[in-house]
Structure formats: C-alpha cells, structure tokens
Amino acid sequence: MTGDAIRIEGLRKTYAGGKQALKGVDLTVPTGSIFGLLGPNGAGKSTLINILAGLVVKSAGKVTIWGWDQDRNPRQSRAAIGIMPQELNLDPFFTPRQALEVQAGLYGVPKRLRRSDEILGMVGLSDKAEAYARTLSGGMRRRLLLGKALVHAPHILVLDEPTAGVDIELRQMLWANVRKLNRERGMTIILTTHYLEEAEEMCDEIAIIDQGAVVARDSTRNLLGQLDAKTMVIQPESPPDILPQAPGISAERREGGLIALSYHASQTAAEEVLELVRGAGIRIRDVRTEQADLEDVFLELTRSTPAA
Ligand code: ADP
Ligand code: MG
C-alpha cells in the first residue's frame, strides 16, 4: 500500500460518565514509517490505540486502516493491524505456544500458515514454549504479547507503551525486533512512549497529543528543528559583577559561577554571544552549548495554559 497506512478523521471518544478522552483527532500515519504517539498520562493515547484495535468503540469520526473503513469493513481493517496492549493481560492457563495458537485461531489463520515457533524464536521464548504463563516473568509476558500481535502477519504493528517499566535489556530487544520488522518486512509501526529519547531515536514521525487533541504532528527532525533555542554555558575566569546584556540574548547565573546565555540560533549567531561576553570584559575559561531536545518541544507544547 502506498500513502497512508492509517487515516483518522474527526475522531472523538466520550466515555460513559462523560470523560472526553478524544476531542476531534485528525491524524495520518504514512505506510512504512515508525510513528511515535507522545503525550502525558491521560492524554488519550491508549484510547486512540484501542479504537484502532477495535477494543474501544469511538463516539464519532472515521478511521481507515490499510484502506479499509473500520465501520464498513471491520474484518479487513482488524486483520491489517496487530496490537501489543499496555496491560499485561494474558490467560494464565495457556503456555506461550498455546497463546499464539489461540490468537491465530481468533484471527482465522489456517494451521498451515501459522508460525508459532518462528514467532517464539523471534521474541526469545523458544525455551519457554511449554511453560505455564503464570511462571513467566513480566518481561517474558511482554515479549509474548508482542508475539501475539504478530500471529496474523499484520501490515501495521501498534505498541502501547511497550517499554514502560522494562529493563534495558528487554527494551533493546524489543526495539531490535521492531526495527527489523520495519526494515525487513516494511511493517508500519505505531508506538506510544513517554521516553522522549526513545521517540527521538526510533521514530521517523511524531504526533504529540495532549488532553485529547493533537498539538503537533511532524517529522522528528522538523519537530526538533522547531525549537531553535540554544544555551551557551560559560565558565568565566572569575564571576563578573554584572551579567552582559543584549537584545535576543538572556543571561542568568548558574551554580558553580557559570553563566548561561540563551538565544535563538536563527536570530543570533554563536559568535555574537561570544563577542558580547568578551565585550563585557569576561574572560572565558570554558564554554559549551546546550540544544533543545524533544523534551523541550514536548514541554513547550503540553505546558498547561491557565484557564481564562
Ligand atoms: P493515556 O494512554 O494517554 O495515558 P488514556 O487514553 O488511557 O490516556 O486516557 C485518556 C482519558 O480517558 C483519561 O482521563 C482516562 O482517565 C480516561 N479513561 C480511559 N479509559 C477510560 C474508561 N474505560 N472509562 C472512563 N474513562 C476512561
Ligand atoms: Mg496509555
């Protein structure tokens, strides 16, 4: 499929009880991308993902998955997508192999097309194939959930906070798997995470969602470029009595006698900042710069605006 793997238009969800979890979301996810859905707790990420999965019924809007309208072609749209949910909801009475077989059955995958052993190998559970689910560690359960999401060889893989609270080893294994599926099978990946570094490193495209609305949607590179705020941190030979001042540059003291000068790279050259410092008679012992990262973009965009 060329174009968009997922197209969401005017998506709304109001839960029984009146909570408006999604307030009119428009979003497209390009085929073949690794797409990050970021947002603070309660933003509506899981609600959106569970609507895609067919686990939560939307209140309004249109969802198209792999070209299939979710309402008109529920079977086809469901078959196109595999979901690794946030909750570790596994049937304790199934072994990993049984869990995969049952899941494949649910999706109508014929026996000859099942790849349970291959999937168990991929998620590193071959030696646990016959273990009782209740004897599996949290990390193993998570890997089994990834395996379950893959039984019907979906075009799109959705992972809801896959690395929240998991150790570094498992996180790296998960990401290696995800990258491989994306690269080798062209699988479109959608993930939610609140590890911003992870999104920065993994995702081609990012949407930031806050209080049920998309507040930013761009390539990771553009999103990071959006904030061209830079800070030059200077260690002076001796602390000056007064801080240097110039339009477009704001100076403040930091611990240890350091001076932080903030400016916008698009408006002020680093050389101008250095000149300002030298011009104020400050001798520079050491200097380094700090650049905005996704965390800054995120904070900027999700900073709650006080109620009017
Ligand atoms: P996120 O995954 O971004 O943390 P969620 O989609 O889980 O956010 O939740 C969005 C909002 O909807 C939150 O305020 C949450 O409390 C509420 N919510 C989620 N699930 C339900 C539910 N089943 N019933 C009522 N409210 C819910
Ligand atoms: Mg969630």
Side-chain angles (χ1 to χ4, degrees), residues 18-63:
K19 174 71 199 177
Q20 268 191 289
L22 296 173
K23 302 170 183 167
V25 166
D26 298 305
L27 203 60
T28 54
V29 176
T31 298
S33 63
I34 300 185
F35 190 95
L37 191 60
L38 296 181
N41 256 338
K45 303 181 296 296
S46 292
T47 299
L48 191 152
I49 276 173
N50 290 334
I51 289 171
L52 294 179
L55 299 171
V56 167
V57 180
K58 61 182 176 277
S59 305
K62 189 174 164 178
V63 173

Short mmCIF file of all heavy atoms in Angstrom, two decimals, residues 18-63:
data_model
loop_
_atom_site.label_atom_id
_atom_site.label_comp_id
_atom_site.label_asym_id
_atom_site.label_seq_id
_atom_site.Cartn_x
_atom_site.Cartn_y
_atom_site.Cartn_z
N GLY A 18 -18.92 10.60 30.97
CA GLY A 18 -18.75 11.94 30.45
C GLY A 18 -17.33 12.38 30.14
O GLY A 18 -17.12 13.46 29.61
N LYS A 19 -16.33 11.53 30.47
CA LYS A 19 -14.95 11.94 30.19
C LYS A 19 -14.70 11.99 28.67
O LYS A 19 -14.87 11.00 27.97
CB LYS A 19 -13.98 10.94 30.83
CG LYS A 19 -12.52 11.17 30.50
CD LYS A 19 -11.97 12.40 31.16
CE LYS A 19 -10.70 12.87 30.49
NZ LYS A 19 -10.17 14.10 31.07
N GLN A 20 -14.31 13.18 28.20
CA GLN A 20 -13.97 13.35 26.78
C GLN A 20 -12.50 13.02 26.59
O GLN A 20 -11.64 13.86 26.79
CB GLN A 20 -14.19 14.80 26.38
CG GLN A 20 -15.56 15.11 25.82
CD GLN A 20 -15.55 16.51 25.22
OE1 GLN A 20 -15.49 17.49 25.96
NE2 GLN A 20 -15.59 16.58 23.90
N ALA A 21 -12.22 11.80 26.16
CA ALA A 21 -10.82 11.37 26.04
C ALA A 21 -10.21 11.81 24.73
O ALA A 21 -9.01 12.09 24.67
CB ALA A 21 -10.72 9.86 26.19
N LEU A 22 -11.00 11.89 23.65
CA LEU A 22 -10.52 12.39 22.37
C LEU A 22 -11.49 13.44 21.86
O LEU A 22 -12.70 13.22 21.81
CB LEU A 22 -10.38 11.24 21.35
CG LEU A 22 -9.36 10.15 21.69
CD1 LEU A 22 -9.44 9.00 20.68
CD2 LEU A 22 -7.94 10.70 21.75
N LYS A 23 -10.94 14.60 21.49
CA LYS A 23 -11.79 15.74 21.16
C LYS A 23 -11.66 16.17 19.70
O LYS A 23 -11.41 17.33 19.42
CB LYS A 23 -11.42 16.92 22.06
CG LYS A 23 -11.54 16.60 23.54
CD LYS A 23 -10.94 17.72 24.39
CE LYS A 23 -10.98 17.38 25.87
NZ LYS A 23 -10.15 18.28 26.67
N GLY A 24 -11.75 15.20 18.79
CA GLY A 24 -11.65 15.55 17.38
C GLY A 24 -10.23 15.45 16.87
O GLY A 24 -9.58 16.45 16.60
N VAL A 25 -9.75 14.21 16.73
CA VAL A 25 -8.37 13.99 16.31
C VAL A 25 -8.33 13.68 14.81
O VAL A 25 -9.09 12.85 14.32
CB VAL A 25 -7.74 12.82 17.10
CG1 VAL A 25 -6.44 12.34 16.47
CG2 VAL A 25 -7.51 13.23 18.55
N ASP A 26 -7.46 14.40 14.09
CA ASP A 26 -7.15 14.09 12.70
C ASP A 26 -5.69 13.66 12.66
O ASP A 26 -4.83 14.37 13.19
CB ASP A 26 -7.32 15.32 11.80
CG ASP A 26 -8.76 15.82 11.79
OD1 ASP A 26 -9.64 15.02 11.48
OD2 ASP A 26 -8.98 17.00 12.12
N LEU A 27 -5.44 12.53 12.02
CA LEU A 27 -4.06 12.03 12.01
C LEU A 27 -3.88 11.06 10.86
O LEU A 27 -4.77 10.26 10.58
CB LEU A 27 -3.81 11.30 13.34
CG LEU A 27 -2.39 11.15 13.83
CD1 LEU A 27 -1.72 12.50 14.04
CD2 LEU A 27 -2.38 10.36 15.15
N THR A 28 -2.75 11.15 10.19
CA THR A 28 -2.42 10.14 9.19
C THR A 28 -1.05 9.56 9.53
O THR A 28 -0.17 10.27 10.00
CB THR A 28 -2.36 10.73 7.77
OG1 THR A 28 -1.47 11.84 7.77
CG2 THR A 28 -3.73 11.17 7.30
N VAL A 29 -0.94 8.28 9.29
CA VAL A 29 0.33 7.58 9.55
C VAL A 29 0.83 7.02 8.22
O VAL A 29 0.18 6.17 7.62
CB VAL A 29 0.14 6.44 10.57
CG1 VAL A 29 1.44 5.66 10.76
CG2 VAL A 29 -0.36 6.99 11.90
N PRO A 30 1.97 7.51 7.73
CA PRO A 30 2.47 7.05 6.43
C PRO A 30 2.88 5.58 6.46
O PRO A 30 3.43 5.11 7.45
CB PRO A 30 3.70 7.93 6.17
CG PRO A 30 3.71 8.97 7.22
CD PRO A 30 2.86 8.51 8.35
N THR A 31 2.57 4.89 5.39
CA THR A 31 2.96 3.48 5.25
C THR A 31 4.48 3.34 5.35
O THR A 31 5.22 4.12 4.76
CB THR A 31 2.47 2.94 3.90
OG1 THR A 31 1.05 3.02 3.88
CG2 THR A 31 2.89 1.50 3.69
N GLY A 32 4.90 2.36 6.13
CA GLY A 32 6.33 2.07 6.24
C GLY A 32 7.07 2.89 7.27
O GLY A 32 8.26 2.71 7.46
N SER A 33 6.36 3.78 7.96
CA SER A 33 7.05 4.64 8.93
C SER A 33 7.07 3.99 10.32
O SER A 33 6.34 3.04 10.59
CB SER A 33 6.37 6.01 9.03
OG SER A 33 5.04 5.88 9.49
N ILE A 34 7.95 4.51 11.15
CA ILE A 34 7.87 4.24 12.59
C ILE A 34 7.34 5.53 13.19
O ILE A 34 8.00 6.56 13.15
CB ILE A 34 9.23 3.86 13.20
CG1 ILE A 34 9.79 2.60 12.52
CG2 ILE A 34 9.10 3.65 14.70
CD1 ILE A 34 11.09 2.07 13.14
N PHE A 35 6.11 5.44 13.68
CA PHE A 35 5.37 6.63 14.08
C PHE A 35 5.22 6.67 15.59
O PHE A 35 4.77 5.70 16.20
CB PHE A 35 4.00 6.59 13.41
CG PHE A 35 3.22 7.87 13.53
CD1 PHE A 35 3.26 8.80 12.50
CD2 PHE A 35 2.46 8.12 14.66
CE1 PHE A 35 2.54 9.99 12.61
CE2 PHE A 35 1.75 9.31 14.77
CZ PHE A 35 1.80 10.25 13.74
N GLY A 36 5.60 7.76 16.20
CA GLY A 36 5.52 7.88 17.65
C GLY A 36 4.33 8.72 18.07
O GLY A 36 4.09 9.79 17.53
N LEU A 37 3.58 8.19 19.02
CA LEU A 37 2.48 8.95 19.61
C LEU A 37 2.89 9.29 21.03
O LEU A 37 3.02 8.40 21.87
CB LEU A 37 1.21 8.09 19.59
CG LEU A 37 -0.11 8.73 19.91
CD1 LEU A 37 -0.43 9.85 18.92
CD2 LEU A 37 -1.22 7.69 19.86
N LEU A 38 3.13 10.56 21.26
CA LEU A 38 3.63 11.00 22.56
C LEU A 38 2.60 11.83 23.28
O LEU A 38 1.80 12.52 22.65
CB LEU A 38 4.87 11.89 22.36
CG LEU A 38 6.11 11.28 21.75
CD1 LEU A 38 7.21 12.33 21.67
CD2 LEU A 38 6.57 10.13 22.59
N GLY A 39 2.66 11.80 24.57
CA GLY A 39 1.76 12.65 25.34
C GLY A 39 1.80 12.28 26.79
O GLY A 39 2.14 11.15 27.13
N PRO A 40 1.45 13.23 27.65
CA PRO A 40 1.47 12.93 29.09
C PRO A 40 0.39 11.92 29.46
O PRO A 40 -0.49 11.61 28.65
CB PRO A 40 1.18 14.29 29.73
CG PRO A 40 0.58 15.13 28.66
CD PRO A 40 1.05 14.60 27.36
N ASN A 41 0.48 11.39 30.65
CA ASN A 41 -0.52 10.46 31.15
C ASN A 41 -1.92 11.03 31.02
O ASN A 41 -2.14 12.19 31.35
CB ASN A 41 -0.26 10.17 32.63
CG ASN A 41 0.36 8.81 32.79
OD1 ASN A 41 0.23 7.95 31.91
ND2 ASN A 41 1.05 8.62 33.91
N GLY A 42 -2.84 10.23 30.54
CA GLY A 42 -4.22 10.67 30.43
C GLY A 42 -4.51 11.48 29.19
O GLY A 42 -5.61 12.00 29.01
N ALA A 43 -3.52 11.58 28.28
CA ALA A 43 -3.68 12.40 27.08
C ALA A 43 -4.70 11.81 26.11
O ALA A 43 -5.31 12.53 25.33
CB ALA A 43 -2.34 12.57 26.37
N GLY A 44 -4.84 10.48 26.16
CA GLY A 44 -5.76 9.81 25.24
C GLY A 44 -5.07 8.84 24.28
O GLY A 44 -5.69 8.34 23.35
N LYS A 45 -3.81 8.54 24.54
CA LYS A 45 -3.05 7.67 23.65
C LYS A 45 -3.64 6.25 23.59
O LYS A 45 -3.87 5.73 22.50
CB LYS A 45 -1.58 7.57 24.12
CG LYS A 45 -0.88 8.92 24.22
CD LYS A 45 0.57 8.76 24.67
CE LYS A 45 0.76 8.18 26.07
NZ LYS A 45 0.22 9.03 27.16
N SER A 46 -3.87 5.68 24.75
CA SER A 46 -4.40 4.30 24.76
C SER A 46 -5.80 4.26 24.18
O SER A 46 -6.17 3.31 23.48
CB SER A 46 -4.40 3.73 26.18
OG SER A 46 -3.09 3.53 26.64
N THR A 47 -6.58 5.30 24.45
CA THR A 47 -7.93 5.36 23.89
C THR A 47 -7.85 5.31 22.37
O THR A 47 -8.55 4.53 21.71
CB THR A 47 -8.64 6.65 24.34
OG1 THR A 47 -8.73 6.64 25.77
CG2 THR A 47 -10.03 6.76 23.75
N LEU A 48 -6.97 6.10 21.80
CA LEU A 48 -6.82 6.14 20.34
C LEU A 48 -6.40 4.77 19.82
O LEU A 48 -6.98 4.24 18.87
CB LEU A 48 -5.79 7.21 19.98
CG LEU A 48 -5.69 7.59 18.50
CD1 LEU A 48 -5.21 9.04 18.36
CD2 LEU A 48 -4.73 6.69 17.75
N ILE A 49 -5.41 4.20 20.46
CA ILE A 49 -4.89 2.90 20.02
C ILE A 49 -5.94 1.80 20.18
O ILE A 49 -6.09 0.95 19.31
CB ILE A 49 -3.59 2.60 20.79
CG1 ILE A 49 -2.46 3.32 20.04
CG2 ILE A 49 -3.33 1.13 20.94
CD1 ILE A 49 -1.17 3.27 20.74
N ASN A 50 -6.67 1.84 21.27
CA ASN A 50 -7.70 0.82 21.47
C ASN A 50 -8.86 0.97 20.50
O ASN A 50 -9.52 -0.02 20.16
CB ASN A 50 -8.19 0.85 22.93
CG ASN A 50 -7.11 0.35 23.89
OD1 ASN A 50 -6.24 -0.43 23.50
ND2 ASN A 50 -7.16 0.80 25.13
N ILE A 51 -9.10 2.17 20.03
CA ILE A 51 -10.10 2.36 18.96
C ILE A 51 -9.58 1.72 17.66
O ILE A 51 -10.31 1.00 16.97
CB ILE A 51 -10.43 3.86 18.76
CG1 ILE A 51 -11.24 4.37 19.96
CG2 ILE A 51 -11.22 4.07 17.46
CD1 ILE A 51 -11.45 5.88 19.99
N LEU A 52 -8.31 1.94 17.36
CA LEU A 52 -7.72 1.31 16.17
C LEU A 52 -7.85 -0.21 16.26
O LEU A 52 -8.13 -0.88 15.27
CB LEU A 52 -6.24 1.67 16.03
CG LEU A 52 -5.87 3.12 15.75
CD1 LEU A 52 -4.36 3.27 15.67
CD2 LEU A 52 -6.52 3.60 14.47
N ALA A 53 -7.63 -0.73 17.47
CA ALA A 53 -7.65 -2.18 17.68
C ALA A 53 -9.07 -2.74 17.68
O ALA A 53 -9.25 -3.95 17.65
CB ALA A 53 -6.98 -2.51 19.01
N GLY A 54 -10.06 -1.87 17.72
CA GLY A 54 -11.44 -2.34 17.81
C GLY A 54 -11.83 -2.74 19.22
O GLY A 54 -12.81 -3.44 19.43
N LEU A 55 -11.06 -2.32 20.21
CA LEU A 55 -11.33 -2.68 21.60
C LEU A 55 -12.18 -1.63 22.29
O LEU A 55 -12.86 -1.91 23.27
CB LEU A 55 -10.01 -2.84 22.38
CG LEU A 55 -9.06 -3.93 21.88
CD1 LEU A 55 -7.72 -3.84 22.58
CD2 LEU A 55 -9.68 -5.31 22.06
N VAL A 56 -12.12 -0.40 21.78
CA VAL A 56 -12.94 0.69 22.31
C VAL A 56 -13.76 1.22 21.14
O VAL A 56 -13.24 1.36 20.03
CB VAL A 56 -12.05 1.80 22.92
CG1 VAL A 56 -12.86 3.07 23.17
CG2 VAL A 56 -11.41 1.31 24.22
N VAL A 57 -15.04 1.48 21.38
CA VAL A 57 -15.91 1.98 20.33
C VAL A 57 -15.87 3.50 20.32
O VAL A 57 -16.06 4.15 21.35
CB VAL A 57 -17.37 1.50 20.56
CG1 VAL A 57 -18.28 2.02 19.47
CG2 VAL A 57 -17.41 -0.03 20.61
N LYS A 58 -15.56 4.06 19.17
CA LYS A 58 -15.46 5.53 19.07
C LYS A 58 -16.84 6.17 19.17
O LYS A 58 -17.85 5.54 18.88
CB LYS A 58 -14.78 5.91 17.75
CG LYS A 58 -15.52 5.46 16.50
CD LYS A 58 -14.73 5.85 15.26
CE LYS A 58 -15.40 5.33 14.00
NZ LYS A 58 -15.05 3.95 13.69
N SER A 59 -16.86 7.44 19.57
CA SER A 59 -18.13 8.18 19.66
C SER A 59 -18.45 8.85 18.34
O SER A 59 -19.61 9.00 17.98
CB SER A 59 -18.05 9.24 20.77
OG SER A 59 -17.68 8.66 21.99
N ALA A 60 -17.41 9.28 17.62
CA ALA A 60 -17.61 9.92 16.32
C ALA A 60 -16.31 9.90 15.56
O ALA A 60 -15.23 9.75 16.15
CB ALA A 60 -18.09 11.37 16.49
N GLY A 61 -16.40 10.07 14.23
CA GLY A 61 -15.21 10.15 13.41
C GLY A 61 -15.06 8.97 12.49
O GLY A 61 -15.88 8.05 12.49
N LYS A 62 -14.01 9.02 11.70
CA LYS A 62 -13.78 8.00 10.69
C LYS A 62 -12.36 7.46 10.82
O LYS A 62 -11.41 8.24 10.93
CB LYS A 62 -13.99 8.62 9.30
CG LYS A 62 -13.98 7.63 8.19
CD LYS A 62 -14.33 8.30 6.86
CE LYS A 62 -13.91 7.35 5.73
NZ LYS A 62 -14.23 7.85 4.43
N VAL A 63 -12.25 6.14 10.82
CA VAL A 63 -10.94 5.50 10.92
C VAL A 63 -10.75 4.58 9.73
O VAL A 63 -11.59 3.71 9.48
CB VAL A 63 -10.82 4.69 12.24
CG1 VAL A 63 -9.53 3.88 12.27
CG2 VAL A 63 -10.90 5.62 13.45
#
